Amino acid sequence: MVLGSLAGMVLAASAVYVVKVPDHFPPMPIPADNAMSAAKVELGHQLFYDKRLSGDNSVACASCHKPEFAFSDGGKAVSTGVKGRRGTRNAPTLTDVGYRSRLFWEGGSPRLEAQAVGPLTNPNEMDSDPTKLVARLKAIPQYRAAFAAVFPDGLSMLNLTKAISAFERTLVSSNSPWDRYREGDQTALSVVALRGMKIFFSEKGDCFHCHQGQDFTDDSLRNTALTTVYSDTGLAPITSKDQDVGKFKVPTLRNVELTGPYMHDGSIKTLRDVVEHYNSGGAANLNADPLMRPLGLSEAEVNDLVAFLKALTDHSFTQDPRFGLPK
Amino acid sequence: MNKWRVLAAAAVVALGSALAVPVELKVALVVGDKPLVMGQTYTNPAGNTYEVNLLRFYITQVALVKRDGSEVRADGLHLVEFSPTTPQELTVMKMNVPAGEYAGIRFSIGVPRELNHLDVVHQKAPLDMDSGMYWSWNPGYIFYRFEGKYVKGTTPTPFLMHMGTDSLMQNIQLADLEQYSTSIKVPSSGIRVNLDVSKVFASGLGGQAYDLNKPEYAQVHGGPVSQQVYLNLLSAWSLAKQR
């Protein structure tokens, strides 16, 4: 990776940065303790793609959150971190992640800054010790200078997570056929996708009770009766409540066409299979959400729903040079 | 500057009489009845050859216990780090307590629930993100971070044991209020407590050996093995001979 552009960032350190979102989105929530600036975002952008953040220089955030797959892991059910170590969960998309009120599949992390410590230190992901990581980055003059320009107290683990989070808050996707339809372009959705949309937002499909809002998630934790026995118990270890076994965060459906395989464990391969799962009502499970029940959708209706889900794909997002490999 | 780190600078308040005198709490790492030497190899009950490279833990809720069971408490939360560059015995905190004879001491290893779930971005040392103890994918902080290497075949291979979460906060009571076998006199050249680090490996799950060749014991990040370690460590602490 080339760090050449870091020098130029220093000048822009104080420039105000506003995350642009369309009218049908709420403003991007920016925490008061981590104001945005162009230089901070650019520093976070560099860090997101830099393998030197991992214990053995082999893995970057972008190794598992790849732009071409809407910042998910390109077809892998679970991800591989340093030394080929495999995790147990599917890498979620980072599409519109700045809007999420809780992070991780079980929703256990309250904000992006705190979340970022996870992959950096997790031995199955980047396996870095915070103290050693900060020392390693301080040895890189460009990073020392860039951090000094953005943060009065320079390079630290906290400031590292703040910069990465600032970059993540810019990852807004709002140019899918669905968005264009919302903005008044009646031709943006195919007839099939329009039929799928009606099923999605009606009691018939009932998807919208959980997948709602501009990102198709209410950030709640639900059990979708994926299986009878959950080996990953989801929310339960945090609350110590039996009824929380198998509860996972409702994921955004933006760019979902690009983010398979699906669910917290990557156990469902295609969108069609996901819709069939809902149509069947799911496996027998005592904790299943009351909304999980056989839907009685016809073959054609299943196809319609899949077409609608594919209308949530935003290729301008995955190809946006502001988010791709830094120059 | 001290070589070792007690990352906390928490206020230590004197409770009780005006005759309070300063006294230091010292923790020494041992293996069995010998001082631990970092980097030296030891053998655990499973037969693994291992060495220790890092131990970090939070200590808080420290109190000297009188013979009647009442306590003289010292405030503060301290992060203690032992590494190959620190002595094997460290002063973990200083307190002011009334002179006299006590039955012993008690303290907790971990972060109290009311501090364990605050917004880490706003926390100061020793609860800041740079403490290296914030967990992220488990709720709250790592309470007890123990790392080293073991010999796998012929290759030195890292092992680590990270224990935390509210239910695994350890309360250690080193005061015998029944038979008065323990005693601490103040003033003193320091209250000395031993921590037998080898106790981590005392037992595995369900009576199994704690065998580092098995991945579930080589890399522990909370979970069932850490619950077993919690039990193993309850007997790891002892009052050393007070000099």
Side-chain angles (χ1 to χ4, degrees):
Chain A
M1 197 203 70
V2 188
L3 279 164
S5 60
L6 285 173
M9 289 165 34
V10 175
L11 292 172
S14 58
V16 184
Y17 190 105
V18 179
V19 182
K20 284 206 190 76
V21 300
D23 289 346
H24 61 285
F25 278 40
M28 177 60 68
I30 306 297
D33 55 29
N34 193 14
M36 303 286 281
S37 74
K40 196 188 277 184
V41 169
E42 186 46 32
L43 175 56
H45 187 188
Q46 300 280 343
L47 292 164
F48 189 87
Y49 281 88
D50 196 337
K51 293 184 175 170
R52 290 175 293 188
L53 268 58
S54 66
D56 65 358
N57 297 323
S58 68
V59 177
C61 306
S63 305
C64 299
H65 299 286
K66 304 181 176 102
E68 62 275 32
F69 299 102
F71 297 92
S72 69
D73 201 3
K76 291 194 194 155
V78 297
S79 296
T80 311
V82 297
K83 304 197 175 73
R85 295 186 195 144
R86 281 159 65 89
T88 55
R89 287 182 174 176
N90 183 255
T93 179
L94 302 184
T95 303
D96 293 355
V97 71
Y99 285 108
R100 301 286 69 77
S101 57
R102 35 178 121 200
L103 301 155
F104 289 136
W105 277 103
E106 83 299 326
S109 186
R111 57 182 293 179
L112 288 170
E113 289 80 357
Q115 187 279 335
V117 181
L120 288 167
T121 59
N122 189 323
N124 293 327
E125 299 188 356
M126 297 165 84
D127 198 21
S128 272
D129 174 86
T131 316
K132 291 182 192 153
L133 172 58
V134 168
R136 273 204 312 275
L137 293 183
K138 277 188 177 160
I140 302 170
Q142 292 93 325
Y143 273 133
R144 252 203 335 267
F147 273 92
V150 173
F151 299 101
D153 54 345
L155 220 166
S156 68
M157 186 71 176
L158 177 62
N159 291 341
L160 174 71
T161 66
K162 283 185 172 179
I164 292 177
S165 303
F167 170 64
E168 289 178 297
R169 292 189 176 100
T170 67
L171 298 176
V172 175
S173 169
S174 60
N175 190 26
S176 65
W178 156 252
D179 292 294
R180 294 199 291 276
Y181 175 81
R182 285 285 310 266
E183 282 162 358
D185 178 354
Q186 294 298 318
T187 64
L189 291 182
S190 70
V191 180
V192 195
L194 275 171
R195 283 201 306 261
M197 178 187 87
K198 296 220 170 73
I199 301 169
F200 191 97
F201 290 107
S202 73
E203 301 301 326
K204 177 142 209 193
D206 246 354
C207 314
F208 73 106
H209 282 301
C210 302
H211 297 285
Q212 57 177 265
Q214 87 283 351
D215 290 328
F216 297 88
T217 168
D218 61 0
D219 287 333
S220 64
L221 294 148
R222 312 282 191 128
N223 179 314
T224 54
L226 208 51
T227 131
T228 304
V229 179
Y230 277 83
S231 56
D232 179 341
T233 54
L235 178 63
I238 294 185
T239 59
S240 305
K241 288 190 185 138
D242 283 347
Q243 67 261 35
D244 290 339
V245 171
K247 281 192 188 163
F248 291 90
K249 191 176 73 169
V250 178
T252 177
L253 298 181
R254 284 191 172 272
N255 295 312
V256 72
E257 180 185 12
L258 307 174
T259 67
Y262 301 104
M263 309 315 218
H264 69 275
D265 54 359
S267 60
I268 303 189
K269 281 220 168 59
T270 67
L271 281 180
R272 189 159 222 294
D273 292 343
V274 175
V275 175
E276 290 291 8
H277 161 72
Y278 286 108
N279 199 19
S280 75
N285 190 301
L286 286 176
N287 293 339
D289 195 279
L291 291 166
M292 294 304 300
R293 58 180 197 285
L295 298 174
L297 302 178
S298 69
E299 189 70 19
E301 287 170 322
V302 169
N303 291 337
D304 294 347
L305 259 182
V306 172
F308 175 64
L309 293 173
K310 290 187 178 171
L312 306 179
T313 306
D314 173 5
H315 289 293
S316 68
F317 174 69
T318 60
Q319 289 159 12
D320 194 324
R322 291 174 305 154
F323 307 146
L325 190 67
K327 293 280 144 34
Chain B
M1 210 188 87
N2 290 322
K3 259 213 196 141
W4 48 270
R5 292 198 293 164
V6 173
L7 296 172
V12 175
V13 296
L15 295 164
S17 77
L19 296 170
V21 293
V23 57
E24 295 182 342
L25 172 60
K26 295 170 188 272
V27 172
L29 303 188
V30 299
V31 172
D33 53 8
K34 300 249 161 36
L36 169 84
V37 181
M38 291 230 179
Q40 180 177 309
T41 58
Y42 297 91
T43 307
N44 71 11
N48 308 131
T49 303
Y50 71 92
E51 64 174 66
V52 178
N53 304 135
L54 179 74
L55 176 64
R56 255 189 222 166
F57 57 84
Y58 288 103
I59 185 168
T60 186
Q61 298 171 352
V62 178
L64 288 186
V65 184
K66 294 185 189 163
R67 292 213 155 172
D68 64 1
S70 64
E71 297 181 339
V72 177
R73 297 186 179 177
D75 283 354
L77 171 78
H78 308 265
L79 178 58
V80 185
E81 175 177 296
F82 290 92
S83 77
T85 59
T86 67
Q88 152 275 349
E89 179 180 88
L90 295 178
T91 298
V92 303
M93 66 180 290
K94 300 182 168 100
M95 47 190 158
N96 286 304
V97 294
E101 183 168 359
Y102 295 84
I105 188 168
R106 79 163 176 90
F107 49 85
S108 301
I109 302 300
V111 177
R113 189 185 293 264
E114 45 309 348
L115 298 177
N116 200 22
H117 307 284
L118 303 174
D119 184 347
V120 62
V121 172
H122 295 196
Q123 301 315 303
K124 303 245 165 351
L127 291 173
D128 58 331
M129 224 182 243
D130 288 80
S131 66
M133 300 295 268
Y134 182 69
W135 223 340
S136 182
W137 76 94
N138 282 326
Y141 293 82
I142 300 167
F143 296 168
Y144 193 93
R145 183 176 161 181
F146 181 58
E147 301 180 6
K149 292 191 192 69
Y150 72 105
V151 182
K152 187 175 194 174
T154 53
T155 327
T157 307
F159 74 80
L160 59 85
M161 199 296 299
H162 293 179
M163 182 176 83
T165 68
D166 294 336
S167 58
L168 298 188
M169 173 126 177
Q170 286 197 301
N171 299 317
I172 307 292
Q173 168 99 19
L174 303 177
D176 174 3
L177 298 178
E178 285 76 43
Q179 301 174 51
Y180 305 136
S181 64
T182 55
S183 151
I184 292 172
K185 288 202 185 74
V186 174
S188 127
S189 65
I191 300 169
R192 293 188 159 74
V193 168
N194 285 339
L195 168 58
D196 183 349
V197 297
S198 70
K199 284 279 171 51
V200 164
F201 304 125
S203 170
L205 291 171
Q208 273 182 357
Y210 197 113
D211 184 355
L212 294 169
N213 288 305
K214 296 188 182 153
E216 66 268 35
Y217 293 107
Q219 300 273 326
V220 179
H221 298 275
V225 173
S226 76
Q227 292 168 18
Q228 178 62 47
V229 170
Y230 171 89
L231 299 174
N232 295 348
L233 284 176
L234 287 174
S235 61
W237 296 88
S238 60
L239 214 50
K241 224 174 137 183
Q242 308 297 308
R243 276 174 258 155

PDB file of all heavy atoms in Angstrom, chain B residues 65-88:
ATOM      1  N   VAL B  65      -8.926  -6.821  56.945  1.00  0.00           N
ATOM      2  CA  VAL B  65     -10.023  -7.393  57.714  1.00  0.00           C
ATOM      3  C   VAL B  65      -9.588  -7.537  59.172  1.00  0.00           C
ATOM      4  O   VAL B  65      -8.526  -8.109  59.454  1.00  0.00           O
ATOM      5  CB  VAL B  65     -10.411  -8.776  57.139  1.00  0.00           C
ATOM      6  CG1 VAL B  65     -11.626  -9.334  57.865  1.00  0.00           C
ATOM      7  CG2 VAL B  65     -10.676  -8.668  55.633  1.00  0.00           C
ATOM      8  N   LYS B  66     -10.403  -6.990  60.061  1.00  0.00           N
ATOM      9  CA  LYS B  66     -10.090  -7.109  61.488  1.00  0.00           C
ATOM     10  C   LYS B  66     -10.618  -8.431  62.019  1.00  0.00           C
ATOM     11  O   LYS B  66     -11.423  -9.094  61.381  1.00  0.00           O
ATOM     12  CB  LYS B  66     -10.732  -5.949  62.262  1.00  0.00           C
ATOM     13  CG  LYS B  66     -10.146  -4.600  61.910  1.00  0.00           C
ATOM     14  CD  LYS B  66     -10.760  -3.546  62.813  1.00  0.00           C
ATOM     15  CE  LYS B  66     -10.375  -2.155  62.352  1.00  0.00           C
ATOM     16  NZ  LYS B  66     -11.243  -1.134  62.930  1.00  0.00           N
ATOM     17  N   ARG B  67     -10.176  -8.768  63.194  1.00  0.00           N
ATOM     18  CA  ARG B  67     -10.576 -10.074  63.758  1.00  0.00           C
ATOM     19  C   ARG B  67     -12.085 -10.180  63.967  1.00  0.00           C
ATOM     20  O   ARG B  67     -12.643 -11.272  63.946  1.00  0.00           O
ATOM     21  CB  ARG B  67      -9.855 -10.298  65.081  1.00  0.00           C
ATOM     22  CG  ARG B  67      -8.365 -10.480  64.812  1.00  0.00           C
ATOM     23  CD  ARG B  67      -7.749 -11.424  65.798  1.00  0.00           C
ATOM     24  NE  ARG B  67      -6.562 -12.011  65.189  1.00  0.00           N
ATOM     25  CZ  ARG B  67      -5.698 -12.766  65.838  1.00  0.00           C
ATOM     26  NH1 ARG B  67      -5.912 -13.056  67.105  1.00  0.00           N
ATOM     27  NH2 ARG B  67      -4.653 -13.263  65.227  1.00  0.00           N
ATOM     28  N   ASP B  68     -12.731  -9.049  64.172  1.00  0.00           N
ATOM     29  CA  ASP B  68     -14.194  -9.106  64.352  1.00  0.00           C
ATOM     30  C   ASP B  68     -14.908  -9.109  63.006  1.00  0.00           C
ATOM     31  O   ASP B  68     -16.138  -9.047  62.948  1.00  0.00           O
ATOM     32  CB  ASP B  68     -14.673  -7.927  65.205  1.00  0.00           C
ATOM     33  CG  ASP B  68     -14.435  -6.581  64.525  1.00  0.00           C
ATOM     34  OD1 ASP B  68     -13.906  -6.578  63.377  1.00  0.00           O
ATOM     35  OD2 ASP B  68     -14.747  -5.534  65.130  1.00  0.00           O
ATOM     36  N   GLY B  69     -14.157  -9.155  61.925  1.00  0.00           N
ATOM     37  CA  GLY B  69     -14.774  -9.221  60.594  1.00  0.00           C
ATOM     38  C   GLY B  69     -14.988  -7.853  59.973  1.00  0.00           C
ATOM     39  O   GLY B  69     -15.311  -7.761  58.792  1.00  0.00           O
ATOM     40  N   SER B  70     -14.854  -6.782  60.752  1.00  0.00           N
ATOM     41  CA  SER B  70     -15.021  -5.458  60.161  1.00  0.00           C
ATOM     42  C   SER B  70     -13.805  -5.134  59.289  1.00  0.00           C
ATOM     43  O   SER B  70     -12.764  -5.794  59.402  1.00  0.00           O
ATOM     44  CB  SER B  70     -15.230  -4.404  61.246  1.00  0.00           C
ATOM     45  OG  SER B  70     -14.067  -4.319  62.042  1.00  0.00           O
ATOM     46  N   GLU B  71     -13.961  -4.118  58.444  1.00  0.00           N
ATOM     47  CA  GLU B  71     -12.949  -3.892  57.418  1.00  0.00           C
ATOM     48  C   GLU B  71     -12.466  -2.455  57.376  1.00  0.00           C
ATOM     49  O   GLU B  71     -13.211  -1.533  57.673  1.00  0.00           O
ATOM     50  CB  GLU B  71     -13.548  -4.200  56.037  1.00  0.00           C
ATOM     51  CG  GLU B  71     -13.951  -5.638  55.875  1.00  0.00           C
ATOM     52  CD  GLU B  71     -14.506  -5.902  54.501  1.00  0.00           C
ATOM     53  OE1 GLU B  71     -14.936  -4.926  53.827  1.00  0.00           O
ATOM     54  OE2 GLU B  71     -14.507  -7.073  54.090  1.00  0.00           O
ATOM     55  N   VAL B  72     -11.234  -2.286  56.958  1.00  0.00           N
ATOM     56  CA  VAL B  72     -10.714  -0.968  56.619  1.00  0.00           C
ATOM     57  C   VAL B  72     -10.463  -0.982  55.124  1.00  0.00           C
ATOM     58  O   VAL B  72      -9.615  -1.725  54.631  1.00  0.00           O
ATOM     59  CB  VAL B  72      -9.406  -0.683  57.378  1.00  0.00           C
ATOM     60  CG1 VAL B  72      -8.852   0.675  56.945  1.00  0.00           C
ATOM     61  CG2 VAL B  72      -9.654  -0.718  58.874  1.00  0.00           C
ATOM     62  N   ARG B  73     -11.244  -0.208  54.396  1.00  0.00           N
ATOM     63  CA  ARG B  73     -11.210  -0.307  52.944  1.00  0.00           C
ATOM     64  C   ARG B  73     -10.287   0.705  52.304  1.00  0.00           C
ATOM     65  O   ARG B  73     -10.125   1.804  52.811  1.00  0.00           O
ATOM     66  CB  ARG B  73     -12.616  -0.095  52.382  1.00  0.00           C
ATOM     67  CG  ARG B  73     -13.554  -1.175  52.846  1.00  0.00           C
ATOM     68  CD  ARG B  73     -14.881  -1.040  52.182  1.00  0.00           C
ATOM     69  NE  ARG B  73     -15.727  -2.134  52.660  1.00  0.00           N
ATOM     70  CZ  ARG B  73     -16.983  -2.287  52.321  1.00  0.00           C
ATOM     71  NH1 ARG B  73     -17.561  -1.413  51.519  1.00  0.00           N
ATOM     72  NH2 ARG B  73     -17.674  -3.298  52.784  1.00  0.00           N
ATOM     73  N   ALA B  74      -9.712   0.324  51.176  1.00  0.00           N
ATOM     74  CA  ALA B  74      -8.892   1.232  50.370  1.00  0.00           C
ATOM     75  C   ALA B  74      -9.535   1.341  48.999  1.00  0.00           C
ATOM     76  O   ALA B  74      -9.790   0.335  48.356  1.00  0.00           O
ATOM     77  CB  ALA B  74      -7.482   0.690  50.252  1.00  0.00           C
ATOM     78  N   ASP B  75      -9.799   2.575  48.580  1.00  0.00           N
ATOM     79  CA  ASP B  75     -10.452   2.774  47.284  1.00  0.00           C
ATOM     80  C   ASP B  75      -9.488   2.543  46.134  1.00  0.00           C
ATOM     81  O   ASP B  75      -8.281   2.502  46.321  1.00  0.00           O
ATOM     82  CB  ASP B  75     -10.980   4.213  47.175  1.00  0.00           C
ATOM     83  CG  ASP B  75     -12.252   4.383  47.962  1.00  0.00           C
ATOM     84  OD1 ASP B  75     -12.764   3.365  48.478  1.00  0.00           O
ATOM     85  OD2 ASP B  75     -12.726   5.529  48.068  1.00  0.00           O
ATOM     86  N   GLY B  76     -10.027   2.453  44.961  1.00  0.00           N
ATOM     87  CA  GLY B  76      -9.198   2.460  43.758  1.00  0.00           C
ATOM     88  C   GLY B  76      -9.267   1.167  42.973  1.00  0.00           C
ATOM     89  O   GLY B  76      -9.564   0.096  43.507  1.00  0.00           O
ATOM     90  N   LEU B  77      -9.025   1.320  41.690  1.00  0.00           N
ATOM     91  CA  LEU B  77      -8.962   0.179  40.774  1.00  0.00           C
ATOM     92  C   LEU B  77      -7.594   0.266  40.119  1.00  0.00           C
ATOM     93  O   LEU B  77      -7.229   1.318  39.591  1.00  0.00           O
ATOM     94  CB  LEU B  77     -10.063   0.299  39.713  1.00  0.00           C
ATOM     95  CG  LEU B  77     -10.001  -0.689  38.566  1.00  0.00           C
ATOM     96  CD1 LEU B  77     -10.521  -2.053  39.000  1.00  0.00           C
ATOM     97  CD2 LEU B  77     -10.821  -0.189  37.377  1.00  0.00           C
ATOM     98  N   HIS B  78      -6.845  -0.795  40.186  1.00  0.00           N
ATOM     99  CA  HIS B  78      -5.465  -0.769  39.690  1.00  0.00           C
ATOM    100  C   HIS B  78      -5.244  -1.870  38.671  1.00  0.00           C
ATOM    101  O   HIS B  78      -5.724  -2.980  38.851  1.00  0.00           O
ATOM    102  CB  HIS B  78      -4.494  -0.960  40.855  1.00  0.00           C
ATOM    103  CG  HIS B  78      -4.734  -0.012  41.983  1.00  0.00           C
ATOM    104  ND1 HIS B  78      -4.047   1.164  42.107  1.00  0.00           N
ATOM    105  CD2 HIS B  78      -5.636  -0.046  43.005  1.00  0.00           C
ATOM    106  CE1 HIS B  78      -4.500   1.810  43.182  1.00  0.00           C
ATOM    107  NE2 HIS B  78      -5.472   1.094  43.731  1.00  0.00           N
ATOM    108  N   LEU B  79      -4.524  -1.518  37.617  1.00  0.00           N
ATOM    109  CA  LEU B  79      -4.129  -2.526  36.638  1.00  0.00           C
ATOM    110  C   LEU B  79      -2.667  -2.861  36.894  1.00  0.00           C
ATOM    111  O   LEU B  79      -1.812  -1.979  36.924  1.00  0.00           O
ATOM    112  CB  LEU B  79      -4.318  -1.990  35.217  1.00  0.00           C
ATOM    113  CG  LEU B  79      -3.909  -2.929  34.080  1.00  0.00           C
ATOM    114  CD1 LEU B  79      -4.669  -4.249  34.139  1.00  0.00           C
ATOM    115  CD2 LEU B  79      -4.165  -2.255  32.727  1.00  0.00           C
ATOM    116  N   VAL B  80      -2.402  -4.117  37.100  1.00  0.00           N
ATOM    117  CA  VAL B  80      -1.051  -4.568  37.431  1.00  0.00           C
ATOM    118  C   VAL B  80      -0.501  -5.353  36.252  1.00  0.00           C
ATOM    119  O   VAL B  80      -1.197  -6.193  35.695  1.00  0.00           O
ATOM    120  CB  VAL B  80      -1.086  -5.482  38.677  1.00  0.00           C
ATOM    121  CG1 VAL B  80       0.332  -5.857  39.090  1.00  0.00           C
ATOM    122  CG2 VAL B  80      -1.829  -4.807  39.818  1.00  0.00           C
ATOM    123  N   GLU B  81       0.729  -5.059  35.889  1.00  0.00           N
ATOM    124  CA  GLU B  81       1.341  -5.818  34.796  1.00  0.00           C
ATOM    125  C   GLU B  81       2.665  -6.427  35.225  1.00  0.00           C
ATOM    126  O   GLU B  81       3.562  -5.727  35.686  1.00  0.00           O
ATOM    127  CB  GLU B  81       1.582  -4.919  33.575  1.00  0.00           C
ATOM    128  CG  GLU B  81       2.337  -5.676  32.484  1.00  0.00           C
ATOM    129  CD  GLU B  81       2.548  -4.881  31.212  1.00  0.00           C
ATOM    130  OE1 GLU B  81       1.548  -4.550  30.566  1.00  0.00           O
ATOM    131  OE2 GLU B  81       3.719  -4.595  30.884  1.00  0.00           O
ATOM    132  N   PHE B  82       2.776  -7.730  35.039  1.00  0.00           N
ATOM    133  CA  PHE B  82       4.046  -8.440  35.200  1.00  0.00           C
ATOM    134  C   PHE B  82       4.507  -8.876  33.818  1.00  0.00           C
ATOM    135  O   PHE B  82       3.728  -9.422  33.045  1.00  0.00           O
ATOM    136  CB  PHE B  82       3.854  -9.696  36.057  1.00  0.00           C
ATOM    137  CG  PHE B  82       3.581  -9.432  37.507  1.00  0.00           C
ATOM    138  CD1 PHE B  82       2.276  -9.320  37.981  1.00  0.00           C
ATOM    139  CD2 PHE B  82       4.632  -9.327  38.410  1.00  0.00           C
ATOM    140  CE1 PHE B  82       2.020  -9.097  39.329  1.00  0.00           C
ATOM    141  CE2 PHE B  82       4.388  -9.105  39.755  1.00  0.00           C
ATOM    142  CZ  PHE B  82       3.079  -8.983  40.219  1.00  0.00           C
ATOM    143  N   SER B  83       5.777  -8.627  33.514  1.00  0.00           N
ATOM    144  CA  SER B  83       6.319  -9.055  32.227  1.00  0.00           C
ATOM    145  C   SER B  83       7.789  -9.384  32.459  1.00  0.00           C
ATOM    146  O   SER B  83       8.309  -9.174  33.563  1.00  0.00           O
ATOM    147  CB  SER B  83       6.165  -7.940  31.199  1.00  0.00           C
ATOM    148  OG  SER B  83       7.154  -6.961  31.419  1.00  0.00           O
ATOM    149  N   PRO B  84       8.473  -9.880  31.437  1.00  0.00           N
ATOM    150  CA  PRO B  84       9.889 -10.211  31.650  1.00  0.00           C
ATOM    151  C   PRO B  84      10.724  -9.011  32.071  1.00  0.00           C
ATOM    152  O   PRO B  84      11.830  -9.186  32.579  1.00  0.00           O
ATOM    153  CB  PRO B  84      10.332 -10.729  30.269  1.00  0.00           C
ATOM    154  CG  PRO B  84       9.087 -11.277  29.662  1.00  0.00           C
ATOM    155  CD  PRO B  84       7.992 -10.369  30.132  1.00  0.00           C
ATOM    156  N   THR B  85      10.233  -7.786  31.903  1.00  0.00           N
ATOM    157  CA  THR B  85      11.036  -6.624  32.297  1.00  0.00           C
ATOM    158  C   THR B  85      10.634  -6.077  33.673  1.00  0.00           C
ATOM    159  O   THR B  85      11.154  -5.051  34.100  1.00  0.00           O
ATOM    160  CB  THR B  85      10.914  -5.496  31.260  1.00  0.00           C
ATOM    161  OG1 THR B  85       9.536  -5.137  31.152  1.00  0.00           O
ATOM    162  CG2 THR B  85      11.428  -5.929  29.898  1.00  0.00           C
ATOM    163  N   THR B  86       9.724  -6.723  34.356  1.00  0.00           N
ATOM    164  CA  THR B  86       9.339  -6.264  35.701  1.00  0.00           C
ATOM    165  C   THR B  86       9.917  -7.224  36.737  1.00  0.00           C
ATOM    166  O   THR B  86      10.193  -8.379  36.423  1.00  0.00           O
ATOM    167  CB  THR B  86       7.806  -6.256  35.887  1.00  0.00           C
ATOM    168  OG1 THR B  86       7.324  -7.612  35.860  1.00  0.00           O
ATOM    169  CG2 THR B  86       7.111  -5.443  34.819  1.00  0.00           C
ATOM    170  N   PRO B  87      10.063  -6.737  37.983  1.00  0.00           N
ATOM    171  CA  PRO B  87      10.408  -7.688  39.045  1.00  0.00           C
ATOM    172  C   PRO B  87       9.278  -8.702  39.239  1.00  0.00           C
ATOM    173  O   PRO B  87       8.159  -8.487  38.771  1.00  0.00           O
ATOM    174  CB  PRO B  87      10.548  -6.807  40.284  1.00  0.00           C
ATOM    175  CG  PRO B  87      10.506  -5.399  39.825  1.00  0.00           C
ATOM    176  CD  PRO B  87       9.897  -5.371  38.477  1.00  0.00           C
ATOM    177  N   GLN B  88       9.588  -9.776  39.920  1.00  0.00           N
ATOM    178  CA  GLN B  88       8.588 -10.831  40.147  1.00  0.00           C
ATOM    179  C   GLN B  88       7.679 -10.451  41.317  1.00  0.00           C
ATOM    180  O   GLN B  88       6.621 -11.011  41.502  1.00  0.00           O
ATOM    181  CB  GLN B  88       9.354 -12.147  40.314  1.00  0.00           C
ATOM    182  CG  GLN B  88       8.763 -13.249  41.134  1.00  0.00           C
ATOM    183  CD  GLN B  88       9.051 -13.133  42.607  1.00  0.00           C
ATOM    184  OE1 GLN B  88       9.870 -12.320  43.047  1.00  0.00           O
ATOM    185  NE2 GLN B  88       8.347 -13.936  43.393  1.00  0.00           N
TER     186      GLN B  88
END
